[in-house]
Amino acid sequence: MFSVFEQAPISLLAVYAGLLGLMVGSFLNVVIYRFPIRMKHDWTVQAREWLELETESIDVPPGIVFPASHCGNCKTPIKAWHNIPIISYLILMGRCAACKAKISLRYPTVELITGLLSAAVVYKFGWTVQSLFGLVFTWVLVTLSFIDIDHQLLPDDIVLPTLWLGLTINLFDVYSDTTSSLVGAIAGYLVFWTVFQVFLKLTGKEGMGHGDFKLLALLGAWLGWQYLPQIVLISTLVGTVFGVAIMVRKQSGTNLAIPFGPYIALAGWIAFYFGTDINNWYLAYSGLQG
């Protein structure tokens, strides 16, 4: 069975990966929506237990897998043929099959992004272990980005296991050598931690969340310290451009809280995919590489 995939043209493998990505994107929509709700419920229960208050009256939110997906408006379970990535959204014209309530464009957007990025990963790495872990890496970054957009939150329960996974696979030099991976994790955390501390001392305000430190550490663990400069540069430039645009659009001042995680994740994926070419171009352009 596996030999069939090994012998398949790379373009066909990319198509398969894209279809898989569409299906995974559908599941990621559930994770993006339900995971933060579960976290907030757990925090509330723990806080009330610590304060010795009753917890029986707190409604338990749905789990990640169960119950099955249902319409948020009428609570009707979504049938399998109404849950085909992108296609069902187009056929139903973006509305619930039962109550005709509008379905957010977010859902097919996440599916499409996940599908396209998954296809790109397999197109670049082929039938290799780099593709396998690259898909996991990509799916995690998509999930974290949209959770941060919605809740300004980068959950430790997702970030930290992925960081450890990056360190583990690089024991076998999957994307980087062990030393570069470990230094990347340490340096990634310290870079934004230092920025945070300096900004706090100068302004008395927290310029970013602690989750941003851990996300950059995650990227350093996966890719190695050599890719951190371009990740920091790209995320800062893109974050600044979009941040200013958002403030202008909303006519808000500098106190507007804007999640930075999606820009770090975007820069990290760009470094994952194009990072070697970017570093080689810079070294050649600067004359540091003969």
Side-chain angles (χ1 to χ4, degrees), residues 104-143:
S104 173
L105 187 61
R106 156 74 69 82
Y107 296 107
T109 299
V110 170
E111 293 166 354
L112 181 61
I113 290 174
T114 309
L116 291 175
L117 295 184
S118 298
V121 168
V122 172
Y123 186 81
K124 179 178 179 67
F125 294 102
W127 184 251
T128 63
V129 68
Q130 285 88 353
S131 278
L132 174 62
F133 288 108
L135 290 174
V136 174
F137 178 75
T138 299
W139 299 339
V140 167
L141 292 185
V142 171
T143 303

Side-chain angles (χ1 to χ4, degrees), residues 6-289:
E6 291 174 352
Q7 297 171 8
I10 189 64
S11 56
L12 184 59
L13 287 177
V15 171
Y16 289 151
L19 294 175
L20 174 63
L22 291 176
M23 293 185 286
V24 171
S26 181
F27 174 70
L28 295 187
N29 274 317
V30 177
V31 176
I32 291 165
Y33 177 74
R34 295 186 181 184
F35 195 87
I37 295 176
R38 294 288 307 183
M39 288 184 61
K40 292 178 181 179
H41 168 265
D42 292 343
W43 293 340
T44 300
V45 170
Q46 292 169 13
R48 293 186 69 86
E49 287 177 345
W50 189 80
L51 294 171
E52 299 183 351
L53 301 174
E54 61 87 20
T55 60
E56 288 78 6
S57 61
I58 301 176
D59 293 333
V60 179
I64 301 300
V65 178
F66 299 105
S69 298
H70 55 271
C71 173
N73 183 60
C74 67
K75 310 304 179 185
T76 301
I78 299 176
K79 296 180 174 62
W81 53 90
H82 291 155
N83 204 25
I84 303 172
I86 298 180
I87 295 175
S88 292
Y89 184 88
L90 296 175
I91 292 175
L92 295 172
M93 300 180 68
R95 296 190 177 276
C96 171
C99 68
K100 306 305 178 184
K102 187 175 180 180
I103 301 173
S104 173
L105 187 61
R106 156 74 69 82
Y107 296 107
T109 299
V110 170
E111 293 166 354
L112 181 61
I113 290 174
T114 309
L116 291 175
L117 295 184
S118 298
V121 168
V122 172
Y123 186 81
K124 179 178 179 67
F125 294 102
W127 184 251
T128 63
V129 68
Q130 285 88 353
S131 278
L132 174 62
F133 288 108
L135 290 174
V136 174
F137 178 75
T138 299
W139 299 339
V140 167
L141 292 185
V142 171
T143 303
L144 290 173
S145 295
F146 282 95
I147 289 179
D148 201 26
I149 289 171
D150 290 343
H151 302 278
Q152 296 185 18
L153 175 69
L154 293 167
D156 282 352
D157 287 351
I158 298 176
V159 174
L160 297 183
T162 309
L163 188 157
W164 283 108
L165 177 60
L167 291 173
T168 301
I169 63 175
N170 282 330
L171 291 174
F172 308 94
D173 297 340
V174 174
Y175 297 112
S176 179
D177 62 88
T178 303
T179 300
S180 295
S181 177
L182 181 59
V183 172
I186 297 171
Y189 188 91
L190 289 179
V191 166
F192 279 160
W193 180 86
T194 302
V195 172
F196 174 90
Q197 295 298 333
V198 171
F199 189 83
L200 183 62
K201 292 293 184 182
L202 293 177
T203 67
K205 300 177 183 179
E206 297 184 355
M208 62 178 62
H210 290 66
D212 297 328
F213 316 161
K214 300 169 191 175
L215 179 55
L216 189 60
L218 180 160
L219 297 175
W222 277 73
L223 306 179
W225 65 267
Q226 296 89 341
Y227 294 87
L228 290 178
Q230 61 175 275
I231 293 173
V232 172
L233 178 60
I234 294 172
S235 62
T236 302
L237 291 176
V238 175
T240 300
V241 171
F242 277 89
V244 171
I246 291 171
M247 286 188 290
V248 170
R249 181 180 178 184
K250 294 187 175 182
Q251 297 182 340
S252 301
T254 56
N255 290 326
L256 178 66
I258 299 173
F260 193 46
Y263 307 119
I264 302 173
L266 174 62
W269 196 88
I270 290 173
F272 167 73
Y273 203 83
F274 301 105
T276 301
D277 295 332
I278 293 174
N279 279 349
N280 288 340
W281 171 84
Y282 172 75
L283 292 173
Y285 180 79
S286 62
L288 296 176
Q289 185 181 65

